[in-house]
Amino acid sequence: NIDRKLELHFSENVYCEDDIFFRKIVVKNKSDRKRKLRICFHHDFHLYGDGIGDTALYHPKHIAIIHYKRSSYFMIGLCSPEGKSIISDFNIGRDVEPGWNLAKNPIAQGSVDSIICADLEINGNNEATICYFMTAGRTFDEVFELAERFVKKGIESHLQHSQMCQKGWLATIRPNIGVLEERLQQLYKRS
């Protein structure tokens, strides 16, 4: 077991007002030396449950991957906390695997999957933050608009607003947990 002196911290949520899933990843280099890392995200959708006729494509203008079929569209991107796209490599096809030299196949149909990667260079005892997001909609335009709003508003704003919405919603729920033993009541309250 090798201690790689790396830590990854994830904060993720689904936005309460739009169809956006997002994940903030803080990568901490606990080593004294500079590190080059590649973080990859794999997607293997089976839209409508059959895996037939799915399409995935790389959109160069939006620097994102889009999976779609009929009226279901999913746009996937990576950006810096400042909103700059950081997709450094990608591939679309069947049974694609992560690596350092992806084929950059821009489109595929059928039972397809995709990979997007971000290359990081982190100085010793330092950290880097990346933002992964996925928008869902019924058209290309809808997922593009959601992505643009997400990037413009920023991940911190989305995290804070989503947490406030969820806390507000939870405050309205008053289940009778008094029947549970104290340890379970505490676990419920913390969760």
Side-chain angles (χ1 to χ4, degrees), residues 3-9 26-37 120-128:
D3 180 8
R4 300 201 185 265
K5 297 187 177 184
L6 283 174
E7 286 183 10
L8 290 111
H9 296 263
V26 178
V27 183
K28 294 185 177 187
N29 178 6
K30 304 294 243 178
S31 168
D32 292 333
R33 62 183 174 86
K34 183 187 282 189
R35 315 273 300 262
K36 289 185 179 185
L37 304 167
L120 306 174
E121 195 168 308
I122 308 172
N123 289 328
N125 298 305
N126 213 326
E127 63 185 45

Side-chain angles (χ1 to χ4, degrees), residues 149-168:
R149 286 201 314 252
F150 172 79
V151 169
K152 184 177 181 182
K153 196 171 178 182
I155 194 161
E156 291 301 329
S157 176
H158 279 83
L159 278 169
Q160 290 171 4
H161 186 72
S162 294
Q163 290 168 351
M164 285 182 359
C165 289
Q166 291 161 350
K167 285 179 182 178

Side-chain angles (χ1 to χ4, degrees), residues 1 10 32 35-36 44 47 55 58 60 99 113 128 139 144 188:
N1 192 354
F10 295 86
D32 292 333
R35 315 273 300 262
K36 289 185 179 185
D44 188 8
L47 300 176
T55 302
Y58 174 75
D113 49 329
T139 65
F144 293 150
Y188 175 84

Side-chain angles (χ1 to χ4, degrees), residues 9-184:
H9 296 263
F10 295 86
S11 302
E12 58 190 29
N13 217 318
V14 175
Y15 195 54
C16 54
E17 295 177 11
D18 291 315
D19 295 326
I20 305 171
F21 168 79
F22 51 93
R23 177 180 287 146
K24 174 183 169 185
I25 303 128
V26 178
V27 183
K28 294 185 177 187
N29 178 6
K30 304 294 243 178
S31 168
D32 292 333
R33 62 183 174 86
K34 183 187 282 189
R35 315 273 300 262
K36 289 185 179 185
L37 304 167
R38 174 167 272 201
I39 308 281
C40 298
F41 298 87
H42 180 255
H43 313 95
D44 188 8
F45 295 102
H46 293 269
L47 300 176
Y48 298 94
D50 57 20
I52 299 168
D54 290 12
T55 302
L57 63 89
Y58 174 75
H59 198 286
K61 178 182 174 191
H62 293 279
I63 312 173
I65 298 286
I66 298 150
H67 282 257
Y68 67 96
K69 181 176 179 178
R70 290 183 251 175
S71 62
S72 295
Y73 290 75
F74 299 89
M75 180 177 169
I76 304 146
L78 294 171
C79 64
S80 68
E82 299 77 35
K84 181 177 184 268
S85 178
I86 57 170
I87 293 177
S88 57
D89 209 356
F90 70 92
N91 196 18
I92 296 169
R94 293 182 183 195
D95 302 318
V96 295
E97 294 185 17
W100 283 99
N101 296 307
L102 298 179
K104 289 185 177 58
N105 183 37
I107 190 167
Q109 285 186 309
S111 181
V112 298
D113 49 329
S114 66
I115 290 180
I116 55 174
C117 302
D119 292 329
L120 306 174
E121 195 168 308
I122 308 172
N123 289 328
N125 298 305
N126 213 326
E127 63 185 45
T129 300
I130 63 174
C131 307
Y132 169 95
F133 63 91
M134 180 186 315
T135 62
R138 296 187 177 279
T139 65
F140 277 111
D141 289 341
E142 188 177 348
V143 295
F144 293 150
E145 286 175 24
L146 287 171
E148 286 174 10
R149 286 201 314 252
F150 172 79
V151 169
K152 184 177 181 182
K153 196 171 178 182
I155 194 161
E156 291 301 329
S157 176
H158 279 83
L159 278 169
Q160 290 171 4
H161 186 72
S162 294
Q163 290 168 351
M164 285 182 359
C165 289
Q166 291 161 350
K167 285 179 182 178
W169 178 77
L170 286 173
T172 65
I173 299 173
R174 300 280 182 228
N176 180 12
I177 62 172
V179 297
L180 300 172
E181 60 183 82
E182 182 63 30
R183 180 182 65 85
L184 293 176

